[in-house]
Structure formats: C-alpha cells, structure tokens
Amino acid sequence: GKPVLDSDGKPKKATKVSMDEKYKALKDDAFHRVIQLLLKRLPEMHEFGVPLDCADGFVRRGHPVLGAWIADYQEYNKLCQIKAHGCAVCEVPLALLGNNVVGPERDHFADKQRFQDFNNQKKILEAVLERLKTAKGAEKTRLKEEKSRLKRVVDSLENDISVRQLRDRDSTFWHMPRFSARALWKPDILHTLY
C-alpha cells in the first residue's frame, strides 16, 4: 500500500496506539452511530412537522426538537464531542478552569463550521501533496507555495479546534434543529446532587 504522508509530504512515522485507545475510539464511534440512528428523522420531522393528537381532540402539526437529555458532565462532553476538560455549554480556556471564570456560551454551529473547514482544507492539502509527487518545473514551485499556505491554514484551524477543546469528530447534535447544549442539560438527582 501507499505510505501515509504527513502535512509536509513525508512518510508518517508509525506510532503505537494502545489497545485501550483503539477500543475507546471504537466505543465512541459506535455510541455516536447509535445516537445518529435514533435521531436520524428528527431534522426532517422538525422541518415538515408531524401530526399530533392534542388533548382537545384536534390533530395539529407539531415540529419536534430535542429538548432534554439527562446525563452527567462527561456524558455531555461525549455527546457534543468536547474533550474531557472542556465544557459543552461554555468556552473557558483549560488554564482558567477552576478559577470561577464564566466563559462565553459555546456556539455549536460555529464549532460545526470549524470542523468542516478543517476537514475540507485538510483534504485539499492531501490532494496538493499527491499532485506534488509528479509535478515538475513551474507547477512544482506553485504547488510547493500552495502546500505551505494550506499547511498554515490547516495548522491554524487545528489549533483553533484544540483551544476550544473540541474532539476531531463530527457531533450528531450539530445537525439537530434548534440545538442548544445549555437548554438540553437538565439536572437530575443521580448525576447532580449525590
């Protein structure tokens, strides 16, 4: 097979990934796929509505949204694809955690856009690296300049994602209509009081 290349076009060094990390990644992927399957029709039902039997005997068109999800802090981070020390509701830099700082509310739609931009630019960079292998003359020079520019863009987006404590995965909730992590989070006795 072809060697996997880094963003400089050099073969990546093999890294050992523990079985625990592989298992955790597989478990996370399976969890999000199940959630995705469960909520698959929600955006469509919200957009077009569904008939609902009302208490007064009439049938009305309702537009459902995901309104609550009982979970603890770690489960919310997992649902929203936030790293362990991040927050699904607000953005507080890791260095300020524990200092009673209130950060700005997390914008999950902006997070989705950052994630998409990062993946799109990364794919373009990979295509440039592939073309660079066979390029000659002026085209090779132009592609090297493009590679440098794209590498800066990808690195900047990757840093932005990391600073915001986002995982490098898509979140099912980013595709839900009117999604708000703040509104979704509901306290319960099991996870909050004990």
Side-chain angles (χ1 to χ4, degrees), residues 22 81 175 183:
K22 287 180 182 178
Q81 293 292 20
H175 307 283

Side-chain angles (χ1 to χ4, degrees), residues 88-152:
V89 175
C90 65
E91 290 187 30
V92 174
L94 187 58
L96 295 178
L97 283 178
N99 292 336
N100 201 22
V101 175
V102 178
E105 186 168 349
R106 183 174 290 281
D107 182 348
H108 290 278
F109 296 105
D111 289 346
K112 174 184 174 182
Q113 189 61 52
R114 280 184 194 91
F115 180 77
Q116 288 174 337
D117 290 348
F118 171 71
N119 282 326
N120 291 339
Q121 294 298 318
K122 197 171 169 184
K123 285 177 187 172
I124 294 169
L125 176 59
E126 288 167 1
V128 167
L129 291 173
E130 191 63 34
R131 286 180 26 220
L132 198 52
K133 291 178 187 176
T134 58
K136 293 183 174 99
E139 183 188 10
K140 187 169 189 167
T141 304
R142 185 187 64 73
L143 287 172
K144 281 183 178 181
E145 289 170 3
E146 184 67 4
K147 177 191 92 167
S148 295
R149 185 191 69 75
L150 284 167
K151 185 170 180 349
R152 286 191 303 274

Side-chain angles (χ1 to χ4, degrees), residues 3-52:
V4 177
L5 304 177
D6 65 14
S7 58
D8 289 323
K10 298 176 184 167
K12 278 188 174 181
K13 294 180 183 174
T15 57
K16 286 189 177 183
V17 178
S18 74
M19 288 305 287
D20 287 343
E21 289 172 353
K22 287 180 182 178
Y23 175 71
K24 187 175 186 274
L26 286 172
K27 213 167 73 171
D28 280 354
D29 287 344
F31 173 79
H32 277 278
R33 287 183 189 203
V34 168
I35 298 298
Q36 196 171 24
L37 283 171
L38 290 171
L39 301 175
K40 182 178 174 181
R41 292 199 51 231
L42 187 62
E44 177 188 329
M45 292 185 327
H46 175 76
E47 184 177 347
F48 299 110
V50 292
L52 298 173

Side-chain angles (χ1 to χ4, degrees), residues 145-162:
E145 289 170 3
E146 184 67 4
K147 177 191 92 167
S148 295
R149 185 191 69 75
L150 284 167
K151 185 170 180 349
R152 286 191 303 274
V153 169
V154 167
D155 289 347
S156 173
L157 288 166
E158 188 172 37
N159 182 59
D160 193 33
I161 287 169
S162 179

